[in-house]
Amino acid sequence: MGVLAILISCCLFIHLGLGDTICKIIRHEIVILNCVKCLTFWSVLTYALITQDMQSEWCVAVAFACSYASLWLDLLLNEMRVRYEKEWKLLDAED
């Protein structure tokens, strides 16, 4: 469950623009904070290795799988955002 929570958290972190905001505040570009694949891979790998829930080769495999899944989750979130913004503009135009 921890790996799934990290996957979702990383996707939402990037989707909400928190990585961009942190980089602007500290005035330094940190690539891992702006890339859903990178953030998910390294976060899941670190968590899996630290908790020692599985062998190291499985930790790497799970990290890669979650990184790939994060692309699809990010795509879904972006599609939802686009649809929401279209609906909001329609509602705003009616007022």
Side-chain angles (χ1 to χ4, degrees):
M1 286 302 281
V3 169
L4 182 60
I6 291 171
L7 168 65
I8 293 168
S9 297
C10 289
C11 289
L12 291 174
F13 179 85
I14 299 293
H15 181 72
L16 294 173
L18 298 174
D20 288 332
T21 303
I22 290 171
C23 289
K24 286 178 186 174
I25 290 171
I26 64 172
R27 294 185 181 129
H28 187 71
E29 191 67 26
I30 302 172
V31 176
I32 196 170
L33 295 180
N34 294 314
C35 175
V36 72
K37 299 173 297 197
C38 298
L39 184 60
T40 302
F41 176 81
W42 290 111
S43 298
V44 169
L45 182 62
T46 302
Y47 171 79
L49 289 171
I50 288 174
T51 60
Q52 299 175 348
D53 285 342
M54 55 190 101
Q55 295 176 345
S56 58
E57 52 274 352
W58 279 107
C59 293
V60 173
V62 168
F64 274 118
C66 287
S67 180
Y68 183 74
S70 72
L71 288 172
W72 289 100
L73 183 54
D74 189 49
L75 182 65
L76 176 66
L77 290 170
N78 283 325
E79 180 63 27
M80 289 170 50
R81 179 189 53 81
V82 168
R83 290 182 185 204
Y84 172 81
E85 288 175 358
K86 285 181 183 177
E87 291 295 321
W88 182 255
K89 286 180 182 176
L90 289 174
L91 290 173
D92 196 34
E94 290 176 2
D95 291 339

